[in-house]
Amino acid sequence: MNTATVLPMLDPRLVGEHWENYEGTSSFGVFWRATRLNHLHRRDLRSFLHLSLRAGDDAFARLTRGIPQQAALRFSFPESEFIEKSYWRPEEWWPFGGPMPFEQMSWRLRVCPVCARSCYHCLLFQMPGVVCCPWHGVALIDTCLKCERPLAVDIQRDLPVGRCRCGHDLVHYVASVEGEASVRGHKHTAIEDYLRRAASSRGRTWLIAPEEFDDRAWTALHWFGNGAPKTGALLSERVGLDHSVRFTSGRVGPKSGLESAQPSLAALPLEWFVAFQRIGSQLLAMVPREHLPTLVGPASDMRRAFGQLPAFPGSREMYLSTEVLDRSVLRCAGLLAAIVANSAGRRTFVQPGLRQRIWDNTHGLRLVDALVRRILTRGYADGLRVALGRHVPALYDAQHNRPVRRLPWVLLDLPEGELPSARIGWTRQRGTF
């Protein structure tokens, strides 16, 4: 049987040009519905949707972030007023200020299994804190309900988008023709309400992501988005300010050495030394008693190692060797320290807009000081424990004391006329080196 498409022999208009029940649909949702209703194969995409996708391409990622691909889809439905009004850019849905961390987080398709029957997908489903469909109340999924494989996001030779290799199909053809009219009003209200709240949140918050990819990023992002209960993969911290704290107390100097974000000897407020000293005492308390003589003896390799990674007091400041810090921790602390230094004329990596937001807030610099202290102490404790684990493998036997590597995700909240605050989500990495 000839499997070539019969569309050229019929009316060249595509099936499914009515989008009244598809408010808020994403560019991938348009692609999904068009390919399923018109039985398009990959070879048909250029002719009918003006798209060019190669075998194995992640259509969801390409259509979400690709401006040319989105323009091609708009051209395919020139008479559809709704397509011109749709929200296809994820930045318009993102609830946090600052650039979206595409390079640091996974971007997997999430759908509502009820909406998927009519090929409906909205970028709202991809946002932090959104774990259920707002109008159906059904948990969102990113794997096949039958075999738990990741959802199919490309057009394969023998499988359309949305149908898994196990045979399970999310799509109902008849439901995809008109869409789901019964939730149209609820959908409109939920989308408009979310977009207003997201725009307001972007105006007062700023997300600082690690510099490297984090496969557990969403544990922190969901916590930022809705305060979801933390799991074992996330250590959560809140940093707030008190009106009674003096502005001049414990401030990071403009030339602390942290702003370079390179391993160095950093000059920090002297009153911070007690916290770092306590970390060293707690680490030694974790070591089994039989390892202590060789660990702290005068000829100990570990003693020499700790001697190269000191935290010691001076007359007016304390000094910390940042070599023990994980690179992502040091970069995060360095970014914040560069804001304190206000080194606009220097070569720094501060994200555009972040410095101005902090300096415009009356207590923004106080928040930065508190954040730097919290990030350094947590990073110092983790870094020393990893170094200690290389010399005392017995630390890995105890779950509570086991050395771990964590990446910091920081969300600053800088409301106008109110005390600022921040949250830090430390994602536990799968491997510790």
Side-chain angles (χ1 to χ4, degrees), residues 147-165:
C147 69
E148 298 187 352
R149 288 191 181 97
L151 296 178
V153 291
D154 63 335
I155 295 184
Q156 303 178 45
R157 179 174 300 178
D158 55 341
L159 292 174
V161 177
R163 182 183 297 168
C164 183
R165 289 197 173 277

Side-chain angles (χ1 to χ4, degrees), residues 306-329:
F306 270 73
Q308 296 168 3
L309 306 171
F312 55 89
S315 59
R316 295 183 179 181
E317 297 174 309
M318 69 156 287
Y319 299 94
L320 172 71
S321 174
T322 58
E323 290 184 12
V324 72
L325 301 178
D326 184 87
R327 179 172 175 79
S328 289
V329 174

Side-chain angles (χ1 to χ4, degrees), residues 284-299:
L284 287 177
M286 296 178 185
V287 179
R289 185 169 300 178
E290 61 271 19
H291 291 274
L292 284 176
T294 57
L295 183 64
V296 298

